[in-house]
PDB file of all heavy atoms in Angstrom:
ATOM      1  N   MET H   1       4.822  23.464   6.837  1.00  0.00           N
ATOM      2  CA  MET H   1       5.758  22.414   6.440  1.00  0.00           C
ATOM      3  C   MET H   1       5.568  21.982   4.991  1.00  0.00           C
ATOM      4  O   MET H   1       6.530  21.613   4.313  1.00  0.00           O
ATOM      5  CB  MET H   1       5.588  21.211   7.374  1.00  0.00           C
ATOM      6  CG  MET H   1       6.614  20.124   7.179  1.00  0.00           C
ATOM      7  SD  MET H   1       6.521  18.916   8.521  1.00  0.00           S
ATOM      8  CE  MET H   1       7.748  17.732   7.979  1.00  0.00           C
ATOM      9  N   PHE H   2       4.320  22.048   4.501  1.00  0.00           N
ATOM     10  CA  PHE H   2       4.032  21.550   3.158  1.00  0.00           C
ATOM     11  C   PHE H   2       3.624  22.661   2.193  1.00  0.00           C
ATOM     12  O   PHE H   2       3.010  22.399   1.161  1.00  0.00           O
ATOM     13  CB  PHE H   2       2.931  20.487   3.212  1.00  0.00           C
ATOM     14  CG  PHE H   2       3.329  19.251   3.965  1.00  0.00           C
ATOM     15  CD1 PHE H   2       2.865  19.036   5.250  1.00  0.00           C
ATOM     16  CD2 PHE H   2       4.180  18.320   3.401  1.00  0.00           C
ATOM     17  CE1 PHE H   2       3.237  17.898   5.964  1.00  0.00           C
ATOM     18  CE2 PHE H   2       4.550  17.172   4.093  1.00  0.00           C
ATOM     19  CZ  PHE H   2       4.083  16.969   5.379  1.00  0.00           C
ATOM     20  N   ASN H   3       3.991  23.872   2.522  1.00  0.00           N
ATOM     21  CA  ASN H   3       3.625  25.003   1.662  1.00  0.00           C
ATOM     22  C   ASN H   3       4.227  24.897   0.261  1.00  0.00           C
ATOM     23  O   ASN H   3       3.690  25.452  -0.705  1.00  0.00           O
ATOM     24  CB  ASN H   3       4.065  26.319   2.307  1.00  0.00           C
ATOM     25  CG  ASN H   3       3.543  27.525   1.567  1.00  0.00           C
ATOM     26  OD1 ASN H   3       2.345  27.648   1.329  1.00  0.00           O
ATOM     27  ND2 ASN H   3       4.445  28.421   1.180  1.00  0.00           N
ATOM     28  N   PHE H   4       5.324  24.156   0.129  1.00  0.00           N
ATOM     29  CA  PHE H   4       6.013  24.032  -1.161  1.00  0.00           C
ATOM     30  C   PHE H   4       5.263  23.148  -2.145  1.00  0.00           C
ATOM     31  O   PHE H   4       5.537  23.160  -3.345  1.00  0.00           O
ATOM     32  CB  PHE H   4       7.416  23.450  -0.942  1.00  0.00           C
ATOM     33  CG  PHE H   4       7.399  22.019  -0.479  1.00  0.00           C
ATOM     34  CD1 PHE H   4       7.471  20.980  -1.390  1.00  0.00           C
ATOM     35  CD2 PHE H   4       7.305  21.709   0.875  1.00  0.00           C
ATOM     36  CE1 PHE H   4       7.468  19.655  -0.968  1.00  0.00           C
ATOM     37  CE2 PHE H   4       7.287  20.393   1.306  1.00  0.00           C
ATOM     38  CZ  PHE H   4       7.363  19.366   0.386  1.00  0.00           C
ATOM     39  N   LEU H   5       4.301  22.353  -1.669  1.00  0.00           N
ATOM     40  CA  LEU H   5       3.617  21.410  -2.552  1.00  0.00           C
ATOM     41  C   LEU H   5       2.749  22.143  -3.563  1.00  0.00           C
ATOM     42  O   LEU H   5       2.107  23.147  -3.242  1.00  0.00           O
ATOM     43  CB  LEU H   5       2.741  20.460  -1.733  1.00  0.00           C
ATOM     44  CG  LEU H   5       3.461  19.436  -0.850  1.00  0.00           C
ATOM     45  CD1 LEU H   5       2.442  18.653  -0.035  1.00  0.00           C
ATOM     46  CD2 LEU H   5       4.316  18.499  -1.681  1.00  0.00           C
ATOM     47  N   PRO H   6       2.670  21.626  -4.805  1.00  0.00           N
ATOM     48  CA  PRO H   6       1.755  22.215  -5.791  1.00  0.00           C
ATOM     49  C   PRO H   6       0.309  21.888  -5.429  1.00  0.00           C
ATOM     50  O   PRO H   6       0.038  20.951  -4.674  1.00  0.00           O
ATOM     51  CB  PRO H   6       2.167  21.533  -7.097  1.00  0.00           C
ATOM     52  CG  PRO H   6       2.735  20.216  -6.661  1.00  0.00           C
ATOM     53  CD  PRO H   6       3.432  20.484  -5.365  1.00  0.00           C
ATOM     54  N   ALA H   7      -0.618  22.650  -5.967  1.00  0.00           N
ATOM     55  CA  ALA H   7      -2.033  22.434  -5.668  1.00  0.00           C
ATOM     56  C   ALA H   7      -2.569  21.156  -6.301  1.00  0.00           C
ATOM     57  O   ALA H   7      -3.612  20.641  -5.886  1.00  0.00           O
ATOM     58  CB  ALA H   7      -2.854  23.628  -6.146  1.00  0.00           C
ATOM     59  N   LYS H   8      -1.846  20.644  -7.289  1.00  0.00           N
ATOM     60  CA  LYS H   8      -2.267  19.416  -7.964  1.00  0.00           C
ATOM     61  C   LYS H   8      -1.038  18.615  -8.333  1.00  0.00           C
ATOM     62  O   LYS H   8      -0.038  19.175  -8.791  1.00  0.00           O
ATOM     63  CB  LYS H   8      -3.082  19.747  -9.220  1.00  0.00           C
ATOM     64  CG  LYS H   8      -3.581  18.536  -9.997  1.00  0.00           C
ATOM     65  CD  LYS H   8      -4.405  18.980 -11.203  1.00  0.00           C
ATOM     66  CE  LYS H   8      -4.895  17.801 -12.025  1.00  0.00           C
ATOM     67  NZ  LYS H   8      -5.711  18.243 -13.190  1.00  0.00           N
ATOM     68  N   SER H   9      -1.119  17.311  -8.117  1.00  0.00           N
ATOM     69  CA  SER H   9       0.037  16.467  -8.384  1.00  0.00           C
ATOM     70  C   SER H   9      -0.411  15.092  -8.840  1.00  0.00           C
ATOM     71  O   SER H   9      -1.373  14.535  -8.299  1.00  0.00           O
ATOM     72  CB  SER H   9       0.902  16.345  -7.118  1.00  0.00           C
ATOM     73  OG  SER H   9       2.002  15.512  -7.335  1.00  0.00           O
ATOM     74  N   GLU H  10       0.280  14.542  -9.849  1.00  0.00           N
ATOM     75  CA  GLU H  10       0.052  13.160 -10.257  1.00  0.00           C
ATOM     76  C   GLU H  10       0.939  12.252  -9.409  1.00  0.00           C
ATOM     77  O   GLU H  10       2.107  12.568  -9.169  1.00  0.00           O
ATOM     78  CB  GLU H  10       0.357  12.973 -11.743  1.00  0.00           C
ATOM     79  CG  GLU H  10      -0.625  13.699 -12.649  1.00  0.00           C
ATOM     80  CD  GLU H  10      -0.456  13.326 -14.111  1.00  0.00           C
ATOM     81  OE1 GLU H  10       0.379  12.443 -14.407  1.00  0.00           O
ATOM     82  OE2 GLU H  10      -1.159  13.913 -14.951  1.00  0.00           O
ATOM     83  N   VAL H  11       0.383  11.136  -8.969  1.00  0.00           N
ATOM     84  CA  VAL H  11       1.094  10.298  -8.011  1.00  0.00           C
ATOM     85  C   VAL H  11       1.587   9.005  -8.645  1.00  0.00           C
ATOM     86  O   VAL H  11       1.045   8.531  -9.647  1.00  0.00           O
ATOM     87  CB  VAL H  11       0.193   9.954  -6.807  1.00  0.00           C
ATOM     88  CG1 VAL H  11      -0.201  11.215  -6.060  1.00  0.00           C
ATOM     89  CG2 VAL H  11      -1.050   9.191  -7.247  1.00  0.00           C
ATOM     90  N   GLU H  12       2.634   8.452  -8.034  1.00  0.00           N
ATOM     91  CA  GLU H  12       3.124   7.127  -8.386  1.00  0.00           C
ATOM     92  C   GLU H  12       2.371   6.089  -7.560  1.00  0.00           C
ATOM     93  O   GLU H  12       1.703   6.424  -6.572  1.00  0.00           O
ATOM     94  CB  GLU H  12       4.628   7.028  -8.131  1.00  0.00           C
ATOM     95  CG  GLU H  12       5.470   8.054  -8.883  1.00  0.00           C
ATOM     96  CD  GLU H  12       5.439   7.825 -10.388  1.00  0.00           C
ATOM     97  OE1 GLU H  12       5.203   6.677 -10.811  1.00  0.00           O
ATOM     98  OE2 GLU H  12       5.668   8.806 -11.134  1.00  0.00           O
ATOM     99  N   ILE H  13       2.529   4.827  -7.930  1.00  0.00           N
ATOM    100  CA  ILE H  13       1.752   3.773  -7.280  1.00  0.00           C
ATOM    101  C   ILE H  13       2.112   3.618  -5.798  1.00  0.00           C
ATOM    102  O   ILE H  13       1.265   3.239  -4.986  1.00  0.00           O
ATOM    103  CB  ILE H  13       1.887   2.429  -8.029  1.00  0.00           C
ATOM    104  CG1 ILE H  13       0.776   1.456  -7.585  1.00  0.00           C
ATOM    105  CG2 ILE H  13       3.296   1.854  -7.848  1.00  0.00           C
ATOM    106  CD1 ILE H  13       0.633   0.264  -8.485  1.00  0.00           C
ATOM    107  N   ASP H  14       3.351   3.954  -5.414  1.00  0.00           N
ATOM    108  CA  ASP H  14       3.723   3.852  -4.000  1.00  0.00           C
ATOM    109  C   ASP H  14       2.885   4.795  -3.146  1.00  0.00           C
ATOM    110  O   ASP H  14       2.539   4.464  -2.004  1.00  0.00           O
ATOM    111  CB  ASP H  14       5.204   4.162  -3.813  1.00  0.00           C
ATOM    112  CG  ASP H  14       6.102   3.010  -4.238  1.00  0.00           C
ATOM    113  OD1 ASP H  14       5.573   1.904  -4.470  1.00  0.00           O
ATOM    114  OD2 ASP H  14       7.326   3.219  -4.352  1.00  0.00           O
ATOM    115  N   HIS H  15       2.575   5.958  -3.686  1.00  0.00           N
ATOM    116  CA  HIS H  15       1.740   6.895  -2.930  1.00  0.00           C
ATOM    117  C   HIS H  15       0.307   6.379  -2.819  1.00  0.00           C
ATOM    118  O   HIS H  15      -0.341   6.555  -1.777  1.00  0.00           O
ATOM    119  CB  HIS H  15       1.740   8.278  -3.590  1.00  0.00           C
ATOM    120  CG  HIS H  15       0.978   9.303  -2.811  1.00  0.00           C
ATOM    121  ND1 HIS H  15       1.524  10.001  -1.761  1.00  0.00           N
ATOM    122  CD2 HIS H  15      -0.308   9.723  -2.915  1.00  0.00           C
ATOM    123  CE1 HIS H  15       0.611  10.819  -1.250  1.00  0.00           C
ATOM    124  NE2 HIS H  15      -0.507  10.672  -1.932  1.00  0.00           N
ATOM    125  N   VAL H  16      -0.197   5.743  -3.865  1.00  0.00           N
ATOM    126  CA  VAL H  16      -1.534   5.153  -3.814  1.00  0.00           C
ATOM    127  C   VAL H  16      -1.571   4.055  -2.748  1.00  0.00           C
ATOM    128  O   VAL H  16      -2.513   3.972  -1.950  1.00  0.00           O
ATOM    129  CB  VAL H  16      -1.942   4.593  -5.182  1.00  0.00           C
ATOM    130  CG1 VAL H  16      -3.348   3.983  -5.116  1.00  0.00           C
ATOM    131  CG2 VAL H  16      -1.896   5.689  -6.250  1.00  0.00           C
ATOM    132  N   ARG H  17      -0.537   3.224  -2.740  1.00  0.00           N
ATOM    133  CA  ARG H  17      -0.462   2.169  -1.714  1.00  0.00           C
ATOM    134  C   ARG H  17      -0.442   2.782  -0.314  1.00  0.00           C
ATOM    135  O   ARG H  17      -1.070   2.261   0.613  1.00  0.00           O
ATOM    136  CB  ARG H  17       0.788   1.312  -1.930  1.00  0.00           C
ATOM    137  CG  ARG H  17       0.764   0.449  -3.191  1.00  0.00           C
ATOM    138  CD  ARG H  17       1.893  -0.579  -3.131  1.00  0.00           C
ATOM    139  NE  ARG H  17       1.955  -1.376  -4.347  1.00  0.00           N
ATOM    140  CZ  ARG H  17       2.846  -1.206  -5.308  1.00  0.00           C
ATOM    141  NH1 ARG H  17       3.772  -0.251  -5.198  1.00  0.00           N
ATOM    142  NH2 ARG H  17       2.848  -1.977  -6.379  1.00  0.00           N
ATOM    143  N   PHE H  18       0.293   3.874  -0.169  1.00  0.00           N
ATOM    144  CA  PHE H  18       0.369   4.551   1.123  1.00  0.00           C
ATOM    145  C   PHE H  18      -1.011   5.027   1.572  1.00  0.00           C
ATOM    146  O   PHE H  18      -1.439   4.748   2.703  1.00  0.00           O
ATOM    147  CB  PHE H  18       1.342   5.729   1.020  1.00  0.00           C
ATOM    148  CG  PHE H  18       1.193   6.759   2.097  1.00  0.00           C
ATOM    149  CD1 PHE H  18       1.520   6.473   3.410  1.00  0.00           C
ATOM    150  CD2 PHE H  18       0.711   8.033   1.794  1.00  0.00           C
ATOM    151  CE1 PHE H  18       1.382   7.429   4.410  1.00  0.00           C
ATOM    152  CE2 PHE H  18       0.571   8.988   2.785  1.00  0.00           C
ATOM    153  CZ  PHE H  18       0.903   8.687   4.092  1.00  0.00           C
ATOM    154  N   GLN H  19      -1.716   5.732   0.695  1.00  0.00           N
ATOM    155  CA  GLN H  19      -3.052   6.204   1.068  1.00  0.00           C
ATOM    156  C   GLN H  19      -3.995   5.042   1.358  1.00  0.00           C
ATOM    157  O   GLN H  19      -4.784   5.094   2.308  1.00  0.00           O
ATOM    158  CB  GLN H  19      -3.630   7.098  -0.033  1.00  0.00           C
ATOM    159  CG  GLN H  19      -3.028   8.488  -0.100  1.00  0.00           C
ATOM    160  CD  GLN H  19      -3.955   9.502  -0.733  1.00  0.00           C
ATOM    161  OE1 GLN H  19      -5.168   9.475  -0.518  1.00  0.00           O
ATOM    162  NE2 GLN H  19      -3.400  10.398  -1.525  1.00  0.00           N
ATOM    163  N   ASN H  20      -3.930   3.993   0.546  1.00  0.00           N
ATOM    164  CA  ASN H  20      -4.815   2.848   0.767  1.00  0.00           C
ATOM    165  C   ASN H  20      -4.508   2.139   2.085  1.00  0.00           C
ATOM    166  O   ASN H  20      -5.413   1.651   2.768  1.00  0.00           O
ATOM    167  CB  ASN H  20      -4.704   1.873  -0.398  1.00  0.00           C
ATOM    168  CG  ASN H  20      -5.373   2.394  -1.659  1.00  0.00           C
ATOM    169  OD1 ASN H  20      -6.096   3.384  -1.624  1.00  0.00           O
ATOM    170  ND2 ASN H  20      -5.138   1.740  -2.780  1.00  0.00           N
ATOM    171  N   SER H  21      -3.232   2.105   2.462  1.00  0.00           N
ATOM    172  CA  SER H  21      -2.883   1.483   3.743  1.00  0.00           C
ATOM    173  C   SER H  21      -3.469   2.270   4.914  1.00  0.00           C
ATOM    174  O   SER H  21      -3.850   1.687   5.936  1.00  0.00           O
ATOM    175  CB  SER H  21      -1.359   1.378   3.887  1.00  0.00           C
ATOM    176  OG  SER H  21      -0.755   2.649   4.073  1.00  0.00           O
ATOM    177  N   LEU H  22      -3.571   3.587   4.758  1.00  0.00           N
ATOM    178  CA  LEU H  22      -4.202   4.396   5.800  1.00  0.00           C
ATOM    179  C   LEU H  22      -5.688   4.064   5.923  1.00  0.00           C
ATOM    180  O   LEU H  22      -6.239   4.054   7.033  1.00  0.00           O
ATOM    181  CB  LEU H  22      -4.026   5.887   5.500  1.00  0.00           C
ATOM    182  CG  LEU H  22      -2.604   6.439   5.534  1.00  0.00           C
ATOM    183  CD1 LEU H  22      -2.606   7.928   5.215  1.00  0.00           C
ATOM    184  CD2 LEU H  22      -1.931   6.176   6.874  1.00  0.00           C
ATOM    185  N   GLN H  23      -6.346   3.799   4.792  1.00  0.00           N
ATOM    186  CA  GLN H  23      -7.753   3.403   4.838  1.00  0.00           C
ATOM    187  C   GLN H  23      -7.926   2.080   5.574  1.00  0.00           C
ATOM    188  O   GLN H  23      -8.862   1.905   6.358  1.00  0.00           O
ATOM    189  CB  GLN H  23      -8.325   3.306   3.423  1.00  0.00           C
ATOM    190  CG  GLN H  23      -8.440   4.636   2.694  1.00  0.00           C
ATOM    191  CD  GLN H  23      -9.425   5.590   3.341  1.00  0.00           C
ATOM    192  OE1 GLN H  23     -10.438   5.178   3.904  1.00  0.00           O
ATOM    193  NE2 GLN H  23      -9.129   6.877   3.271  1.00  0.00           N
ATOM    194  N   VAL H  24      -7.010   1.144   5.337  1.00  0.00           N
ATOM    195  CA  VAL H  24      -7.076  -0.142   6.043  1.00  0.00           C
ATOM    196  C   VAL H  24      -6.836   0.078   7.531  1.00  0.00           C
ATOM    197  O   VAL H  24      -7.569  -0.439   8.382  1.00  0.00           O
ATOM    198  CB  VAL H  24      -6.035  -1.133   5.477  1.00  0.00           C
ATOM    199  CG1 VAL H  24      -6.136  -2.475   6.214  1.00  0.00           C
ATOM    200  CG2 VAL H  24      -6.239  -1.347   3.983  1.00  0.00           C
ATOM    201  N   ARG H  25      -5.827   0.867   7.857  1.00  0.00           N
ATOM    202  CA  ARG H  25      -5.461   1.081   9.258  1.00  0.00           C
ATOM    203  C   ARG H  25      -6.552   1.789  10.041  1.00  0.00           C
ATOM    204  O   ARG H  25      -6.896   1.393  11.159  1.00  0.00           O
ATOM    205  CB  ARG H  25      -4.165   1.899   9.323  1.00  0.00           C
ATOM    206  CG  ARG H  25      -3.594   2.041  10.730  1.00  0.00           C
ATOM    207  CD  ARG H  25      -2.394   2.977  10.733  1.00  0.00           C
ATOM    208  NE  ARG H  25      -2.805   4.383  10.609  1.00  0.00           N
ATOM    209  CZ  ARG H  25      -1.956   5.397  10.494  1.00  0.00           C
ATOM    210  NH1 ARG H  25      -0.651   5.165  10.450  1.00  0.00           N
ATOM    211  NH2 ARG H  25      -2.399   6.645  10.406  1.00  0.00           N
ATOM    212  N   GLU H  26      -7.130   2.846   9.466  1.00  0.00           N
ATOM    213  CA  GLU H  26      -8.041   3.710  10.215  1.00  0.00           C
ATOM    214  C   GLU H  26      -9.502   3.279  10.151  1.00  0.00           C
ATOM    215  O   GLU H  26     -10.321   3.784  10.922  1.00  0.00           O
ATOM    216  CB  GLU H  26      -7.917   5.146   9.709  1.00  0.00           C
ATOM    217  CG  GLU H  26      -6.528   5.742   9.868  1.00  0.00           C
ATOM    218  CD  GLU H  26      -6.065   5.743  11.309  1.00  0.00           C
ATOM    219  OE1 GLU H  26      -6.839   6.160  12.194  1.00  0.00           O
ATOM    220  OE2 GLU H  26      -4.923   5.304  11.555  1.00  0.00           O
ATOM    221  N   SER H  27      -9.855   2.374   9.275  1.00  0.00           N
ATOM    222  CA  SER H  27     -11.241   1.925   9.179  1.00  0.00           C
ATOM    223  C   SER H  27     -11.633   1.140  10.426  1.00  0.00           C
ATOM    224  O   SER H  27     -10.789   0.569  11.119  1.00  0.00           O
ATOM    225  CB  SER H  27     -11.433   1.050   7.936  1.00  0.00           C
ATOM    226  OG  SER H  27     -10.588  -0.093   7.992  1.00  0.00           O
ATOM    227  N   THR H  28     -12.919   1.116  10.704  1.00  0.00           N
ATOM    228  CA  THR H  28     -13.417   0.289  11.791  1.00  0.00           C
ATOM    229  C   THR H  28     -13.438  -1.171  11.377  1.00  0.00           C
ATOM    230  O   THR H  28     -12.980  -2.053  12.101  1.00  0.00           O
ATOM    231  CB  THR H  28     -14.845   0.713  12.194  1.00  0.00           C
ATOM    232  OG1 THR H  28     -14.824   2.074  12.584  1.00  0.00           O
ATOM    233  CG2 THR H  28     -15.366  -0.130  13.349  1.00  0.00           C
ATOM    234  N   ARG H  29     -13.938  -1.411  10.161  1.00  0.00           N
ATOM    235  CA  ARG H  29     -14.067  -2.798   9.707  1.00  0.00           C
ATOM    236  C   ARG H  29     -13.946  -2.960   8.197  1.00  0.00           C
ATOM    237  O   ARG H  29     -13.268  -3.853   7.721  1.00  0.00           O
ATOM    238  CB  ARG H  29     -15.406  -3.368  10.170  1.00  0.00           C
ATOM    239  CG  ARG H  29     -15.641  -4.804   9.779  1.00  0.00           C
ATOM    240  CD  ARG H  29     -16.834  -5.399  10.490  1.00  0.00           C
ATOM    241  NE  ARG H  29     -16.939  -6.822  10.219  1.00  0.00           N
ATOM    242  CZ  ARG H  29     -17.731  -7.663  10.871  1.00  0.00           C
ATOM    243  NH1 ARG H  29     -18.507  -7.177  11.849  1.00  0.00           N
ATOM    244  NH2 ARG H  29     -17.759  -8.945  10.578  1.00  0.00           N
ATOM    245  N   HIS H  30     -14.597  -2.083   7.426  1.00  0.00           N
ATOM    246  CA  HIS H  30     -14.749  -2.300   5.993  1.00  0.00           C
ATOM    247  C   HIS H  30     -13.943  -1.325   5.138  1.00  0.00           C
ATOM    248  O   HIS H  30     -14.031  -0.110   5.324  1.00  0.00           O
ATOM    249  CB  HIS H  30     -16.232  -2.202   5.604  1.00  0.00           C
ATOM    250  CG  HIS H  30     -17.064  -3.289   6.194  1.00  0.00           C
ATOM    251  ND1 HIS H  30     -18.260  -3.041   6.848  1.00  0.00           N
ATOM    252  CD2 HIS H  30     -16.886  -4.632   6.230  1.00  0.00           C
ATOM    253  CE1 HIS H  30     -18.782  -4.186   7.266  1.00  0.00           C
ATOM    254  NE2 HIS H  30     -17.959  -5.167   6.904  1.00  0.00           N
ATOM    255  N   VAL H  31     -13.179  -1.879   4.211  1.00  0.00           N
ATOM    256  CA  VAL H  31     -12.485  -1.116   3.175  1.00  0.00           C
ATOM    257  C   VAL H  31     -13.265  -1.316   1.886  1.00  0.00           C
ATOM    258  O   VAL H  31     -13.736  -2.420   1.593  1.00  0.00           O
ATOM    259  CB  VAL H  31     -11.033  -1.594   3.004  1.00  0.00           C
ATOM    260  CG1 VAL H  31     -10.315  -0.791   1.930  1.00  0.00           C
ATOM    261  CG2 VAL H  31     -10.288  -1.501   4.336  1.00  0.00           C
ATOM    262  N   ILE H  32     -13.424  -0.248   1.099  1.00  0.00           N
ATOM    263  CA  ILE H  32     -14.345  -0.239  -0.042  1.00  0.00           C
ATOM    264  C   ILE H  32     -13.605   0.182  -1.299  1.00  0.00           C
ATOM    265  O   ILE H  32     -12.803   1.122  -1.274  1.00  0.00           O
ATOM    266  CB  ILE H  32     -15.516   0.712   0.248  1.00  0.00           C
ATOM    267  CG1 ILE H  32     -16.293   0.251   1.493  1.00  0.00           C
ATOM    268  CG2 ILE H  32     -16.451   0.830  -0.965  1.00  0.00           C
ATOM    269  CD1 ILE H  32     -17.171   1.318   2.105  1.00  0.00           C
ATOM    270  N   ALA H  33     -13.878  -0.515  -2.418  1.00  0.00           N
ATOM    271  CA  ALA H  33     -13.191  -0.202  -3.667  1.00  0.00           C
ATOM    272  C   ALA H  33     -14.055  -0.589  -4.857  1.00  0.00           C
ATOM    273  O   ALA H  33     -15.077  -1.273  -4.722  1.00  0.00           O
ATOM    274  CB  ALA H  33     -11.852  -0.920  -3.736  1.00  0.00           C
ATOM    275  N   ASN H  34     -13.605  -0.166  -6.040  1.00  0.00           N
ATOM    276  CA  ASN H  34     -14.318  -0.503  -7.274  1.00  0.00           C
ATOM    277  C   ASN H  34     -13.747  -1.755  -7.935  1.00  0.00           C
ATOM    278  O   ASN H  34     -14.187  -2.142  -9.009  1.00  0.00           O
ATOM    279  CB  ASN H  34     -14.276   0.677  -8.256  1.00  0.00           C
ATOM    280  CG  ASN H  34     -12.867   1.001  -8.724  1.00  0.00           C
ATOM    281  OD1 ASN H  34     -11.890   0.706  -8.035  1.00  0.00           O
ATOM    282  ND2 ASN H  34     -12.758   1.622  -9.885  1.00  0.00           N
ATOM    283  N   ILE H  35     -12.745  -2.384  -7.311  1.00  0.00           N
ATOM    284  CA  ILE H  35     -12.204  -3.647  -7.802  1.00  0.00           C
ATOM    285  C   ILE H  35     -12.149  -4.641  -6.639  1.00  0.00           C
ATOM    286  O   ILE H  35     -12.247  -4.250  -5.467  1.00  0.00           O
ATOM    287  CB  ILE H  35     -10.793  -3.480  -8.402  1.00  0.00           C
ATOM    288  CG1 ILE H  35      -9.807  -2.977  -7.348  1.00  0.00           C
ATOM    289  CG2 ILE H  35     -10.825  -2.524  -9.606  1.00  0.00           C
ATOM    290  CD1 ILE H  35      -8.369  -3.005  -7.803  1.00  0.00           C
ATOM    291  N   ASP H  36     -11.979  -5.931  -6.962  1.00  0.00           N
ATOM    292  CA  ASP H  36     -12.028  -6.960  -5.922  1.00  0.00           C
ATOM    293  C   ASP H  36     -10.649  -7.487  -5.532  1.00  0.00           C
ATOM    294  O   ASP H  36     -10.532  -8.573  -4.953  1.00  0.00           O
ATOM    295  CB  ASP H  36     -12.928  -8.117  -6.363  1.00  0.00           C
ATOM    296  CG  ASP H  36     -12.420  -8.821  -7.612  1.00  0.00           C
ATOM    297  OD1 ASP H  36     -11.405  -8.371  -8.178  1.00  0.00           O
ATOM    298  OD2 ASP H  36     -13.044  -9.823  -8.021  1.00  0.00           O
TER     299      ASP H  36
END
């Protein structure tokens, strides 16, 4: 399904938010970052 994707891609902020929301959803308790 995703064979068309390039091996490397620069992302927009919406994609970063999407990935970060998965970390919040799937974590047991703690989300970790380099900013507060």
Side-chain angles (χ1 to χ4, degrees):
M1 187 169 177
F2 295 103
N3 188 53
F4 68 93
L5 291 176
K8 180 179 179 179
S9 178
E10 292 189 4
V11 298
E12 302 293 335
I13 196 166
D14 284 349
H15 184 84
V16 180
R17 292 193 183 103
F18 161 68
Q19 285 205 38
N20 287 349
S21 70
L22 294 180
Q23 292 295 327
V24 181
R25 187 186 75 185
E26 299 302 313
S27 60
T28 301
R29 181 168 187 168
H30 294 132
V31 180
I32 299 162
N34 64 335
I35 61 171
D36 62 356

